[in-house]
Amino acid sequence: MRKFTLSLLCILAFAGSTYAQSPKFLIKAGLNIASLTNDPTASPRPGINLGVGTEVFINDKFSIQPELLYSAQGARFDFDYPVGWGYVNTGGTIRLNYINVPIMAKYYITEGFSIQAGPQVGFLVKAEQEVNSLNQTITSDVSQVINSVDFGLNLGAGYKLTSGLFFDARYNFGLTSVNKNGRLNGVDVKFDTSSKNGVFQLSVGYQF
């Protein structure tokens, strides 16, 4: 927690140094459609995103928007699970939940409509693997084999009404592997060291 707090303060301080005007505050919440790249057995896992942020205009077209978001990510999967006599085809879910800190640069093409891009750092808060096999559900904490910090790049667009209500669509491209070594206590974790986060986010919020 201490490392997380220090890292967050450094990021927000850097973002704040670019501010030319007093920030406007915002709250937002929405839907994640998340998966893991480089794994043909992975399929999307729905989740939520919610958090707060600020937007500061450098001029009438350009602004900087740092955010602090809780994001439920991961993937669903289907694969062959090892049992005593061989393998059983089964499925399950990887739950990777983060506190993400994106810093978005926004350019307003027209009044209210913006395109957005910016880096993101994520801090892992939960990592579980759930396997459904032979009428049983086995849930394991796999946080020991998941990298605790995740870096990514966001691209998206948004539309803001004069009332302060806004809508965002964003895709996060993971840049770093989520998995350290692929095994925990001799049990395979269901994705390899080349897998990265890929998250499509839809959100609605209010700026004041």
Side-chain angles (χ1 to χ4, degrees):
M1 180 59 70
R2 183 180 179 184
K3 290 182 178 179
F4 165 74
T5 303
L6 290 174
S7 299
L8 177 58
L9 289 175
C10 289
I11 292 169
L12 294 181
F14 174 77
S17 68
T18 67
Y19 290 170
Q21 301 177 13
S22 298
K24 293 185 177 181
F25 297 95
L26 62 93
I27 55 175
K28 62 186 298 187
L31 172 69
N32 284 351
I33 303 297
S35 193
L36 295 168
T37 64
N38 303 319
D39 188 341
T41 68
S43 60
R45 176 206 173 199
I48 63 169
N49 65 83
L50 55 93
V52 297
T54 63
E55 182 178 11
V56 174
F57 281 85
I58 306 305
N59 54 46
D60 61 348
K61 290 288 189 180
F62 183 74
S63 69
I64 302 294
Q65 182 170 301
E67 300 172 358
L68 181 66
L69 302 176
Y70 174 81
S71 183
Q73 300 173 197
R76 292 175 174 169
F77 57 85
D78 178 75
F79 76 114
D80 291 330
Y81 191 75
V83 294
W85 62 87
Y87 292 85
V88 173
N89 184 261
T90 187
T93 303
I94 292 288
R95 300 186 183 93
L96 301 175
N97 297 342
Y98 294 88
I99 298 295
N100 288 332
V101 185
I103 300 178
M104 305 299 292
K106 300 175 66 176
Y107 181 77
Y108 284 83
I109 298 176
T110 62
E111 184 177 358
F113 179 73
S114 65
I115 55 175
Q116 312 170 10
Q120 173 177 288
V121 58
F123 302 91
L124 185 71
V125 295
K126 182 180 181 181
E128 286 185 344
Q129 176 175 272
E130 179 183 284
V131 175
N132 304 309
S133 180
L134 300 177
N135 297 319
Q136 292 183 333
T137 298
I138 302 171
T139 302
S140 304
D141 180 354
V142 294
S143 57
Q144 294 180 38
V145 298
I146 306 300
N147 286 311
S148 59
V149 179
D150 183 68
F151 294 96
L153 175 66
N154 290 307
L155 298 176
Y159 187 77
K160 181 171 61 178
L161 303 176
T162 56
S163 64
L165 185 69
F166 66 86
F167 306 89
D168 280 342
R170 184 182 298 177
Y171 189 82
N172 172 246
F173 298 87
L175 300 179
T176 54
S177 172
V178 298
N179 194 2
K180 292 179 181 178
N181 56 27
R183 296 183 69 81
L184 175 65
N185 297 328
V187 177
D188 285 323
V189 175
K190 187 59 199 100
F191 48 90
D192 62 32
T193 53
S194 65
S195 295
K196 299 177 177 64
N197 283 303
V199 187
F200 178 65
Q201 295 183 325
L202 291 171
S203 59
V204 60
Y206 183 75
Q207 187 180 86
F208 54 93

